[in-house]
Amino acid sequence: MDMVTMTINRKKVQVEKGATILDAAKKININIPTLCHLDLHDIKFVNKSASCRVCVVQVKGRKNLAPACSTPVAEGMVVTTNSIRAIKARRTVVELLLSNHPKDCLVCVKNQDCDLQSLAAELNVRQVKYEGVMSKHRKDTSSYSIVRDPDKCILCRRCETMCNEVQTVNVLSGIGRGFDTTVGPAYSLPMHETTCTFCGQCVAVCPVGALAEVSNVQKVWNAIGNRKKTVIVQTAPAVRVALGEEFGMEPGTQVTGKMATALREIGFDKVFDTDFAADLTIIEEASEFVHRLQHGGKLPILTSCCPGWVKFFEHQFSDMLDIPSTCKSPHEMFGAISKTYLADKMGINPDDMVVVSVMPCLAKKYEAARPELGNEGHKDVDYVITTRELAHMIKEATLDFENLPDSDFDNPLGESTGAAVIFGATGGVIEAALRTAYEWLTKETLESVDFKDLRGLQGIKEATVKINDLDVKIAVASGLGNARKLLEEIRAGRADYHAIEIMACPGGCINGGGQPFHHGDLEIIQKRMSGLYKEDAEKVLRKSHDNPYIKKLYDEFLGEPYGEKAHELLHTHYVKRDMI
Ligand code: SF4
Ligand code: SF4
Ligand code: SF4
């Protein structure tokens, strides 16, 4: 490996040839401020646009300041990162950005979570010196998931890199010219009319409030305040290991008990766990898999619990709509069971029941509005709020979250197994399905339930599991670019997998677009993942088919797994969508 030796702030450093000044500075713990630059190495995301120039440094012998994020190191190079000239230039860059930025920080959705705001404070910018014309664009509120406010866009291009290079959806790019340039869908189409999957990964990396979730908080408060309605809430697995971050707790901390208490304090009538429905999903999905294996059905089976992924294949692989499982996602299954079985048990009219899902996800907002996801005129799920939105509600209700006592979920839809918990991490759904399918097919007890080859943040993982005489080939992809690679292999007839799990967000739901912002620190995602596997390991029951409430649900209401009633309530279909 070719190395170069250089000096930064009088410290010698050796780095690989081809590295940037920013890479070299990081190696010796010298902080150079950045804004557009973002390197999420583990998910192969690097935004190299070098558009903001916040990271300028002084290089000996050069007339102009150099952007540290895009200037390669050279042998003998001497760099000063904190010269008066560099500091002043950075401040000017931020002042110019602010001159064309709405000054509504106090009411902005990113207030106190905004990289531009933090940088302005860090650089001691105390006034906006430059007054001038402000760009004026239409706000896009067309979708159920994402609001685009181009007036707040600082043209960093992080969203474009995420959408085009990691997710390969290609919805976002530079549009307009000169002062009117912004980043958005081609021809300024509303998001709702594009191939956007609503994965929300662009929102997760946007440094400012130009991309944000559609908030359903007020609608949920209104439902809670309506005495005629019974408002029930369910929470997805990935939420419990991230919500604490909004209250200063360590990422990965399990706050399940405090969350249940907070939801009751907020005013929900019943507090349930989507994990119950994740167990139900496994029963249906494993049944479908076993059915396809035993009856010569189409393989590989693809998981279908991620609505971002579902919309992606409806647009991009509509010639293969017969291979994904027909199972609804867990929160939709939960809604369908709530408005039938539970409403009946509670003696209430489903018209008077409101189902709220707390999800790590923006795509689930869109999913809840899909017309086919309902029964007898009722939507399965009425409102979806994200982990961040729940945190806002807890703060609005002035709850001292960290010191809340723990409480349990309500039953009968609150009990779950370890298999359901790991749905929140990439590989978790297929691992959970294997625990059940293995026992059903072999009629033997699976002693070691941990399929470790299927765990971790790698974009594509593979494993082979011997079930009876068959070597069952499994693949897992997270991130839509990785999903595309697998789907293209299948389309070309080059893949011989039996089952594939796909999640739209790199790392799975723990890194969903509705989770607390990671600000570029992917260790946070690792810690959330560890939190889920810890909870799984601590559970007494770790296989979905061992959940006694699931057995009761089939005995009392659904009948056979994968049977007629289950099909009516728990399965769905897909449609070919246009490529715009
Ligand atoms: S939500 Fe996902 S698919 Fe849609 S624009 Fe953002 S990154 Fe692209
Ligand atoms: S929308 Fe956000 S991420 Fe995209 S270019 Fe604008 S500021 Fe950057
Ligand atoms: S991976 Fe999870 S959070 Fe991301 S789009 Fe899919 S379901 Fe939503």
Side-chain angles (χ1 to χ4, degrees), residues 267-574:
F268 288 102
D269 295 302
K270 293 278 179 194
V271 178
F272 292 120
D273 194 357
T274 313
D275 286 14
F276 171 85
D279 277 334
L280 185 57
T281 305
I282 288 304
I283 302 299
E284 287 301 312
E285 211 160 65
S287 301
E288 190 179 359
F289 178 50
V290 169
H291 189 269
R292 288 199 203 181
L293 268 181
Q294 293 178 335
H295 296 86
K298 194 111 181 179
L299 292 171
I301 188 170
L302 307 177
T303 59
S304 56
C305 46
C306 167
W309 150 237
V310 166
K311 190 161 184 278
F312 180 77
F313 72 64
E314 287 181 325
H315 282 293
Q316 316 257 353
F317 293 91
S318 56
D319 51 323
M320 295 158 74
L321 292 186
D322 54 344
I323 58 171
S325 159
T326 56
C327 286
K328 289 181 183 175
S329 66
H331 86 122
E332 291 290 334
M333 284 197 184
F334 180 94
I337 293 299
S338 299
K339 292 198 177 172
T340 50
Y341 174 73
L342 180 69
D344 192 45
K345 268 199 173 309
M346 291 174 74
I348 59 172
N349 185 334
D351 286 340
D352 295 328
M353 180 183 270
V354 177
V355 176
V356 177
S357 303
V358 184
M359 299 283 126
C361 179
L362 300 192
K364 286 194 162 122
K365 289 174 181 273
Y366 144 81
E367 182 192 32
R370 286 180 67 125
E372 68 278 16
L373 293 179
N375 185 43
E376 294 183 353
H378 307 118
K379 286 162 73 178
D380 290 337
V381 170
D382 296 283
Y383 303 117
V384 174
I385 58 169
T386 61
T387 313
R388 292 194 294 267
E389 287 172 87
L390 174 59
H392 290 313
M393 291 185 77
I394 294 171
K395 288 172 192 170
E396 274 187 79
T398 65
L399 300 177
D400 178 8
F401 185 76
E402 227 183 324
N403 293 311
L404 285 179
D406 288 347
S407 67
D408 290 330
F409 290 111
D410 290 307
N411 267 321
L413 310 186
E415 192 62 56
S416 65
T417 69
V421 176
I422 57 175
F423 260 60
T426 166
V429 178
I430 209 82
E431 179 170 343
L434 275 173
R435 292 179 188 178
T436 290
Y438 182 93
E439 292 204 351
W440 282 356
L441 285 164
T442 62
K443 314 268 186 270
E444 289 168 10
T445 303
L446 179 66
E447 298 299 345
S448 171
V449 297
D450 297 331
F451 292 87
K452 293 205 168 139
D453 289 350
L454 299 172
R455 299 181 181 182
L457 277 184
Q458 308 92 285
I460 297 181
K461 293 167 282 189
E462 291 179 326
T464 304
V465 180
K466 189 115 187 135
I467 302 185
N468 296 330
D469 291 334
L470 184 67
D471 285 330
V472 177
K473 281 193 76 180
I474 310 288
V476 173
S478 75
L480 292 170
N482 293 318
R484 181 185 290 282
K485 280 184 203 150
L486 285 183
L487 267 281
E488 276 169 359
E489 287 296 296
I490 296 169
R491 189 184 257 162
R494 287 193 295 263
D496 58 351
Y497 301 111
H498 295 89
I500 300 180
E501 178 206 291
I502 295 179
M503 291 290 160
C505 298
C509 304
I510 42 173
N511 185 28
Q515 293 281 62
F517 292 106
H518 54 62
H519 294 283
D521 181 1
L522 282 193
E523 214 179 302
I524 290 175
I525 311 304
Q526 290 281 8
K527 287 180 178 169
R528 292 176 191 162
M529 184 179 273
S530 304
L532 290 183
Y533 285 116
K534 184 167 176 283
E535 188 172 341
D536 168 35
E538 287 166 359
K539 286 263 192 183
V540 179
L541 300 176
R542 299 184 65 192
K543 299 165 193 161
S544 297
H545 54 285
D546 289 341
N547 184 334
Y549 287 93
I550 292 283
K551 289 181 191 164
K552 198 167 167 219
L553 177 67
Y554 280 98
D555 288 347
E556 288 182 1
F557 181 65
L558 286 172
E560 283 297 298
Y562 204 51
E564 198 179 322
K565 187 100 183 159
H567 264 95
E568 183 191 325
L569 291 176
L570 309 180
H571 289 254
T572 185
H573 62 272
Y574 308 111

Side-chain angles (χ1 to χ4, degrees), residues 27-60:
K27 207 170 168 190
I28 47 174
N29 294 323
I30 289 178
N31 176 40
I32 300 174
T34 55
L35 185 56
C36 68
H37 179 82
L38 188 66
D39 185 349
L40 306 175
H41 183 74
D42 288 351
I43 63 164
K44 302 197 171 20
F45 169 102
V46 189
N47 189 39
K48 294 182 188 154
S49 69
S51 61
C52 74
R53 291 327 208 225
V54 160
C55 64
V56 284
V57 293
Q58 202 146 2
V59 179
K60 194 171 176 188

Side-chain angles (χ1 to χ4, degrees), residues 73-112:
V73 293
E75 184 62 38
M77 186 183 247
V78 177
V79 172
T80 309
T81 69
N82 52 7
S83 68
I84 303 290
R85 194 174 159 218
I87 291 170
K88 270 187 164 176
R90 280 177 209 142
R91 205 182 288 147
T92 303
V93 165
V94 172
E95 284 166 350
L96 284 167
L97 282 172
L98 290 175
S99 73
N100 185 25
H101 198 80
K103 320 291 183 295
D104 61 356
C105 302
L106 285 180
V107 290
C108 178
V109 65
K110 288 294 279 287
N111 187 19
Q112 299 186 24

